[in-house]
């Protein structure tokens, strides 16, 4: 395709996505301000020009972009139905982050057992609304669909998040179409190159308003948030939430990069995204993310608490206690008991062992450590 043909194809695709999203949402048509359109256009163009271009990539980009547009529609409609909600204060959030595969999901799900925290359950992540009480969830089609889907697929061996469990922030952040969701999880080099040059401040501002919407009736509760991509957007996050309490997990980057590459490779055929390309992409992306987080940590050390992955695996409850102490949080007897019970019931590898090596993805231990040299040095200085 020449440039004119590509532009025409992107415009037709964008129009189709907006029509489909509107139809799926009962003919809602207010997508909010148009600041998201640049990212959407870049995304669609990147899909058409990717070395992995084809039906599978097109379908995945189409479905995820449509879901993000639907979420925008739901959010805009809900904000209109609940005027003033975006003026609500948010109690300082507890934010869990770290490189992918460093234990952030375990930490997130463990702390979610404390009822003082509120979170967005996985089933609700793409349907912004005031969060309903758990006993009413079966009344919602989105919840029933999520439960039915899990009953068919079963638990995920590598990254298991049940419908009722707290979900990652990326599901909400991608509404702005400036998101690591497409930059690091799909073979879209054109989008990735563009993404790394963007300022995520506007994305985090919208995200904060989305959280206000979910917490319409629970403004007094502390938000429990989690996403590895916060390592990339940490400065934007701290602009949106200047009082955030950040729990940063750290694990040997040889393990995180290799495990992350293995996770992504399970989702893509080798002829669309070769393992060696996945390895290179993961290493470049997440070493860069690690450095961004390290620099933000250096400037905002008072906001951070560091957790070693090995400590989390050895004694997760002790790690939780240290977090509460660091940020002056109180743990009730009930929360402590529930958390301990959860730990006992969820041993590591309960769904099987995840095996991987860096060599499978064209990487080596020495090469990974070299790419992370600056990050590892910062870890020594800021424990």
């Amino acid at each position: 395709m020449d440039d004119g043909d590509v532009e025409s194809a992107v415009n037709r695709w964008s129009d189709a996505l907006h029509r489909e999203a509107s139809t799926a949402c009962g003919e809602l048509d207010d997508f909010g301000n148009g600041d998201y359109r640049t990212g959407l256009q870049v995304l669609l163009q990147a899909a058409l020009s990717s070395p992995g271009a084809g039906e599978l990539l097109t379908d995945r980009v189409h479905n995820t972009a449509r879901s993000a547009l639907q979420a925008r529609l739901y959010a805009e409609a809900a904000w209109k139905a609940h005027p003033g909600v975006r003026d609500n204060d948010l109690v300082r959030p507890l934010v869990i982050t770290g490189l992918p595969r460093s234990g952030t999901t375990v930490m997130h799900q463990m702390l979610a057992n404390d009822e003082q925290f509120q979170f967005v359950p996985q089933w609700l992540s793409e349907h912004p609304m005031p969060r309903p009480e758990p006993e009413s969830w079966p009344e919602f089609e989105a919840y029933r669909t999520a439960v039915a889907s899990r009953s068919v697929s079963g638990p995920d061996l590598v990254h298991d998040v049940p419908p009722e469990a707290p979900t990652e922030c990326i599901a909400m952040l991608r509404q702005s179409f400036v998101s690591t969701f497409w930059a690091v999880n799909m073979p879209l080099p054109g989008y990735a190159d563009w993404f790394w040059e963007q300022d995520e401040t506007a994305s985090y501002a919208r995200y904060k308003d989305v959280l206000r919407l979910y917490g319409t009736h629970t403004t007094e509760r502390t938000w429990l948030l989690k996403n590895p991509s916060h390592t990339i957007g940490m400065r934007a996050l701290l602009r949106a939430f200047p009082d955030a309490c950040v729990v940063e997990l750290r694990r040997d980057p040889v393990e995180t990069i290799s495990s992350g590459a293995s996770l992504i490779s399970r989702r893509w055929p080798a002829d669309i995204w070769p393992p060696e390309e996945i390895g290179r992409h993961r290493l470049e992306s997440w070493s860069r993310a690690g450095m961004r987080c390290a620099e933000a940590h250096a400037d905002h050390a008072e906001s951070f608490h560091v957790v070693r992955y090995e400590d989390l695996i050895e004694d997760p409850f002790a790690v939780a206690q240290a977090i509460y102490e660091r940020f002056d949080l109180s743990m009730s007897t009930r929360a402590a008991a529930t958390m301990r019970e959860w730990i006992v019931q969820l041993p590591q590898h309960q769904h099987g062992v995840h095996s991987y090596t860096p060599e499978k993805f064209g990487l080596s231990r020495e090469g990974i450590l070299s790419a992370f040299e600056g990050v590892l040095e910062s870890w020594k200085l800021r424990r």
Side-chain angles (χ1 to χ4, degrees):
M1 288 186 188
D2 61 30
D3 290 345
D5 290 337
V6 170
E7 182 179 0
S8 178
V10 166
N11 289 336
R12 290 195 302 272
W13 193 357
S14 177
D15 290 344
L17 282 167
H18 284 84
R19 287 195 303 271
E20 289 181 24
S22 180
T23 300
C25 295
E27 303 306 324
L28 294 175
D29 59 5
D30 183 0
F31 292 92
N33 66 48
D35 59 354
Y36 71 94
R37 287 185 175 271
T38 297
L40 175 59
Q41 295 292 109
V42 173
L43 173 65
L44 301 184
Q45 184 168 344
L48 294 176
S49 62
S50 169
E55 183 177 359
L56 178 60
L57 180 59
T58 297
D59 285 350
R60 291 187 180 180
V61 168
H62 187 95
N63 292 337
T64 53
R66 183 183 59 208
S67 294
L69 288 172
Q70 290 173 201
R72 287 187 68 91
L73 288 169
Y74 286 131
E76 296 294 336
W79 284 327
K80 289 178 183 176
H82 300 274
V85 71
R86 282 183 281 188
D87 296 324
N88 288 345
D89 292 330
L90 265 71
V91 178
R92 64 173 186 167
L94 185 63
V95 181
I96 300 166
T97 194
L99 299 178
R101 316 303 298 158
S102 61
T104 57
T105 299
V106 171
M107 177 72 76
H108 198 199
Q109 294 183 5
M110 176 177 67
L111 296 182
N113 286 284
D114 188 339
E115 292 183 348
Q116 74 175 293
F117 298 125
Q118 60 178 323
F119 56 83
V120 179
Q122 189 276 332
W123 74 271
L124 198 57
S125 61
E126 295 182 349
H127 296 77
M129 67 172 76
R131 187 183 53 250
E133 291 298 322
E135 57 268 22
S136 70
W137 290 358
E139 300 172 11
F140 293 86
E141 182 181 357
Y143 176 75
R144 296 194 300 271
T145 299
V147 170
S149 176
R150 181 176 168 83
S151 69
V152 173
S153 65
D156 190 314
L157 166 65
V158 182
H159 183 72
D160 190 49
V161 182
E164 66 279 359
T167 196
E168 294 186 336
C169 306
I170 199 169
M172 286 74 76
L173 280 165
R174 72 183 187 185
Q175 286 185 33
S176 296
F177 286 90
V178 182
S179 173
T180 57
F181 180 84
W182 294 289
V184 303
N185 296 317
M186 294 188 180
L188 298 167
Y191 182 86
D193 290 344
W194 173 84
F195 167 80
W196 284 102
E197 300 302 320
Q198 304 310 303
D199 180 351
E200 293 188 81
T201 298
S203 296
Y204 275 91
R206 182 181 179 90
Y207 167 59
K208 186 174 184 177
D209 284 344
V210 170
L211 290 179
R212 287 180 167 124
L213 176 60
Y214 281 117
T216 297
H217 306 304
T218 51
T219 57
E220 75 290 349
R221 292 176 64 189
T222 299
W223 276 101
L224 179 64
L225 310 175
K226 171 257 178 177
N227 213 74
S229 70
H230 293 324
T231 56
I232 299 171
M234 184 54 65
R235 291 191 185 279
L237 182 148
L238 290 173
R239 282 193 285 271
F241 306 97
D243 60 349
C245 303
V246 181
V247 178
E248 180 191 349
L249 282 98
R250 295 177 178 174
R251 185 185 183 188
D252 179 355
V254 176
E255 295 295 319
T256 62
I257 295 300
S258 303
S259 179
S262 178
L263 172 63
I264 296 299
S265 71
R266 292 166 179 260
R267 301 171 179 170
W268 295 98
D271 60 332
I272 293 179
W273 208 0
E276 295 80 7
E277 285 298 308
I278 291 175
R280 179 194 59 77
H281 184 65
R282 299 293 293 184
L283 183 57
E284 289 182 359
S285 298
W286 293 107
S287 60
R288 194 171 184 176
M291 202 66 239
R292 281 197 181 182
C293 189
E295 291 167 353
H297 187 157
D299 292 339
H300 302 276
E302 71 284 355
S303 300
F304 284 77
H305 175 73
V306 173
V307 173
R308 295 173 64 250
Y309 175 81
E310 294 81 4
D311 294 337
L312 176 63
I313 298 304
E314 180 179 349
D315 193 341
F317 188 74
V319 165
Q321 288 179 307
I323 291 170
Y324 279 62
E325 182 177 353
R326 167 69 177 83
F327 293 121
D328 195 27
L329 298 167
S330 60
M331 185 186 296
S332 68
T333 302
R334 177 178 179 178
T338 305
M339 214 175 291
R340 287 184 182 278
E341 182 180 355
W342 182 89
I343 292 167
V344 170
Q345 293 179 353
L346 196 75
Q348 191 180 29
H349 307 316
Q350 67 163 337
H351 302 309
V353 177
H354 178 206
S355 300
Y356 47 84
T357 64
E359 288 75 18
K360 180 178 178 181
F361 304 98
L363 303 173
S364 67
R365 178 174 182 81
E366 294 75 17
I368 294 173
L369 293 178
S370 177
F372 274 85
E373 183 177 3
V375 177
L376 294 172
E377 185 61 30
S378 77
W379 287 3
K380 294 176 185 176
L381 297 174
R382 291 179 289 277
R383 297 184 183 279

